[in-house]
Amino acid sequence: MGPPEQLALGPRARAAWSVALVLIFGLQIGLGLRSRLHDDDRYGFAMFHEFTRYKIDYQWRLVDGSARKFSFPVALPKRSAAVRGGRHQVEVFGAGTTRLQLRGALRYLWAAHRPDDAVAVEAVYRWRRNDHPEETVEQLRWPPEGGP
Amino acid sequence: MSRLRAAWDRLWFAPAPTETLGLVRLFVGLTLVLKFTGVWGIYRGWGALNLRLPFHDGLQHGRFRLPVPGFDWLPPMTAASQRLWDGLALALAVLLTLGLGTRAVSVGLALLLLYALLESQFNYLHHVNVYVWVICIFALSPMGDHYSLDAVLRRLWARARGLRPVRPIRPILYQRMLQVFLSVLYLTTTIGKLTPDWFDGSIFGALANGGFLKGPFKATLLGLFPPMFMAWWTLFAESLLAVGLWHPKSRRVTAWCGVALHLGIDAMMNVTTFSYLMISLYLSFASPATGQTSLSVDPGQPLSRGLGLLVRALDWTQRIRLVSAPGPMRLHSPEGEVLGGVHALGRVLGLLPLTFMAGLWVDLGLGLLRRLRPPAPIG
């Protein structure tokens, strides 16, 4: 290789890069904080900090106040099977990951598969951390009480 | 304020050669080629070598699609478009490794990976996320200055016009981005693991019960190392990797801990090429200048000549400049040390990519020996 050639950045390029660097690493740290806040390791970098064992049961809330259980009405291949429900499953990214995916699933079910007599779609989400026996039960619903 | 600004400029914009960037690109590119051909995983034993061209993982979603919020506008992946994605990703990974059209290839690969990550939340995997960040940094950086076909073509082009090829000196910014990214990653993952289940080691029992630990080495490794040891070793190594790579004195030991940690993960978990990617990223802390260590070898002495041949064959990163001189073998380090005999051998092994681990053991052993019985001064 020949003699060195200096390819320095001018003051404006340095200023622009400085702003870009703050944004880039601000985003990296921000995504890390988001994953802590939502208990959802995805897009952050807290890898394998815990996993959850969970079970989801879906039900339609009907006009008369009763509930009708149902299975996820379409095939869910590969990792999308995480929201299939009706059986015990394992999630490696945290309890919040399933919660957020369930919200998306409920919106889809409401938009694409709502029966005429339903006022909402609900998911009963039971989960526990690692091998701990304590179970947490959450009821998620779409649309929420009082409308979306 | 002006001192702060000067420190900021020194951190990000100090001039530096770009050999390190080429080295990181070469090895990260290689890990991508392994990923897209399905060649990974010590835990799979010999099965890890089963080549699939290109590796096809199948669709992650059917009629129910869940894009990352804000990215609903991305076209959904179909079986046909996923096959196209797989082939294109492999082709770009090969080009990235070879360093042909490096900048355009990095941009293309970054867009492909970003699309996969954002098109469906079910496509998320930690290692894909890390690849997205790294390849996006590549897309912003001159990764093809060295160890690339781009560099060869540039040299040929310059010579054809009677010009002398130049060695670019650029702001250290691009190398720093990789370094800071790596440190923030390890810092974040360590903070995430500061939980009671990691402190008492029960996480490893839970991971084993949950089916996350697998392969023929699982039983041996779990038998050799109690869960508490594994948990604290992980916490120690990851926190060390967040800071230890920055200081030249702790760099090699830290890199060794990182290599051991990731090989251990790869021996028991399906993380595809994540371990190889992380190990490759440690190269971003390698000194950017090549040939700063010189080794004088005597062609008349079999041992000395053999070491010279070894260096010629395995010094892919061109760390060592060979000098032919009669007399005992001598190694001159960039720090001004003059080493001979087994001390020189240990240092040479530590500088070659293939023998890096063995070299560190020899270097550590000899370092301890030196403390007990300092060698006679040389030169």
Side-chain angles (χ1 to χ4, degrees), chain B residues 125-149:
Chain B
L125 288 168
H126 287 314
H127 73 279
V128 175
N129 189 36
V130 177
Y131 270 121
V132 165
W133 277 83
V134 170
I135 302 297
C136 283
I137 292 175
F138 280 17
L140 295 169
S141 310
M143 306 304 290
D145 278 354
H146 298 279
Y147 313 125
S148 66
L149 288 178

Side-chain angles (χ1 to χ4, degrees), chain A residues 2-74:
Chain A
E5 183 192 27
Q6 287 271 2
L7 298 162
L9 295 175
R12 288 177 76 172
R14 281 186 183 206
W17 264 111
S18 298
V19 173
L21 289 167
V22 170
L23 292 175
I24 290 167
F25 293 107
L27 178 66
Q28 192 188 4
I29 293 166
L31 285 170
L33 290 173
R34 178 213 154 267
S35 75
R36 299 295 292 164
L37 285 174
H38 287 279
D39 201 3
D40 172 18
D41 285 354
R42 296 173 308 157
Y43 316 105
F45 300 92
M47 302 170 191
F48 298 105
H49 91 280
E50 67 173 22
F51 67 90
T52 50
R53 296 172 189 278
Y54 67 95
K55 185 168 181 271
I56 302 163
D57 289 304
Y58 291 104
Q59 59 190 27
W60 297 110
R61 183 61 59 186
L62 305 178
V63 182
D64 62 5
S66 63
R68 185 197 304 148
K69 292 195 172 188
F70 68 97
S71 302
F72 209 93
V74 295

Side-chain angles (χ1 to χ4, degrees), chain B residues 205-286:
Chain B
L207 284 170
N209 294 338
F212 294 106
L213 306 184
K214 48 187 82 179
F217 310 109
K218 181 183 91 173
T220 313
L221 286 171
L222 288 177
L224 275 175
F225 306 108
M228 176 87 102
F229 173 85
M230 295 239 248
W232 278 95
W233 158 244
T234 307
L235 289 173
F236 166 75
E238 288 186 346
S239 53
L240 183 65
L241 282 157
V243 291
L245 290 165
W246 287 91
H247 198 280
K249 289 215 165 177
S250 56
R251 190 168 294 152
R252 291 218 285 170
V253 174
T254 306
W256 184 90
C257 286
V259 171
L261 172 79
H262 283 291
L263 290 183
I265 293 172
D266 201 48
M268 284 199 292
M269 294 178 92
N270 177 9
V271 290
T272 78
T273 52
F274 173 69
S275 291
Y276 322 141
L277 168 65
M278 298 311 289
I279 292 168
S280 303
L281 288 177
Y282 301 160
L283 289 169
S284 64
F285 284 89

Side-chain angles (χ1 to χ4, degrees), chain B residues 3-305:
Chain B
R3 282 176 66 185
L4 199 67
R5 192 173 167 172
W8 175 266
D9 280 357
R10 252 196 327 276
L11 177 69
W12 293 103
F13 303 114
T18 53
E19 278 91 344
T20 303
L21 293 176
L23 204 58
V24 174
R25 188 211 77 245
L26 183 66
F27 281 89
V28 169
L30 199 59
T31 69
L32 269 171
V33 173
L34 294 178
K35 173 166 175 57
F36 295 136
T37 50
V39 179
W40 72 69
I42 298 172
Y43 80 96
R44 291 162 69 195
W46 292 112
L49 300 176
N50 289 344
L51 195 71
R52 288 165 68 182
L53 285 172
F55 181 75
H56 183 66
D57 199 20
L59 273 181
Q60 299 303 329
H61 55 86
R63 283 168 59 196
F64 167 53
R65 179 176 170 245
L66 194 58
V68 169
F71 292 92
D72 313 52
W73 52 272
L74 285 173
M77 201 178 262
T78 61
S81 66
Q82 183 157 15
R83 270 193 294 278
L84 179 68
W85 190 100
D86 290 339
L88 207 54
L90 174 60
L92 291 180
V94 171
L95 290 176
L96 183 75
T97 310
L98 296 174
L100 186 63
T102 312
R103 183 64 71 96
V105 164
S106 301
V107 171
L109 205 46
L111 290 175
L112 268 186
L113 289 167
L114 266 172
Y115 168 67
L117 195 71
L118 300 173
E119 185 265 340
S120 168
Q121 293 186 32
F122 299 115
N123 286 339
Y124 180 86
L125 288 168
H126 287 314
H127 73 279
V128 175
N129 189 36
V130 177
Y131 270 121
V132 165
W133 277 83
V134 170
I135 302 297
C136 283
I137 292 175
F138 280 17
L140 295 169
S141 310
M143 306 304 290
D145 278 354
H146 298 279
Y147 313 125
S148 66
L149 288 178
D150 285 346
V152 173
L153 292 173
R154 265 196 302 273
R155 271 203 294 276
L156 291 175
W157 184 87
R159 282 191 191 126
R161 272 151 191 77
L163 303 168
R164 212 171 150 206
V166 292
R167 178 175 182 233
I169 304 290
R170 298 179 189 269
I172 201 163
L173 159 72
Y174 314 105
Q175 194 181 334
R176 280 278 188 267
M177 282 198 281
L178 291 166
Q179 294 173 335
V180 172
F181 168 74
L182 195 65
S183 294
V184 174
L185 188 156
Y186 276 116
L187 189 68
T188 318
T189 197
T190 306
I191 292 171
K193 290 187 178 82
L194 300 179
T195 65
D197 286 4
W198 274 90
F199 292 147
D200 66 16
S202 63
I203 185 75
F204 273 91
L207 284 170
N209 294 338
F212 294 106
L213 306 184
K214 48 187 82 179
F217 310 109
K218 181 183 91 173
T220 313
L221 286 171
L222 288 177
L224 275 175
F225 306 108
M228 176 87 102
F229 173 85
M230 295 239 248
W232 278 95
W233 158 244
T234 307
L235 289 173
F236 166 75
E238 288 186 346
S239 53
L240 183 65
L241 282 157
V243 291
L245 290 165
W246 287 91
H247 198 280
K249 289 215 165 177
S250 56
R251 190 168 294 152
R252 291 218 285 170
V253 174
T254 306
W256 184 90
C257 286
V259 171
L261 172 79
H262 283 291
L263 290 183
I265 293 172
D266 201 48
M268 284 199 292
M269 294 178 92
N270 177 9
V271 290
T272 78
T273 52
F274 173 69
S275 291
Y276 322 141
L277 168 65
M278 298 311 289
I279 292 168
S280 303
L281 288 177
Y282 301 160
L283 289 169
S284 64
F285 284 89
S287 162
T290 54
Q292 287 201 348
T293 299
S294 75
L295 179 71
S296 61
V297 290
D298 183 352
Q301 289 184 5
L303 187 68
S304 185
R305 192 176 62 237

Side-chain angles (χ1 to χ4, degrees), chain B residues 334-348:
Chain B
E335 294 83 27
E337 286 173 293
V338 183
L339 304 173
V342 282
H343 298 274
L345 176 69
R347 185 61 57 88
V348 166

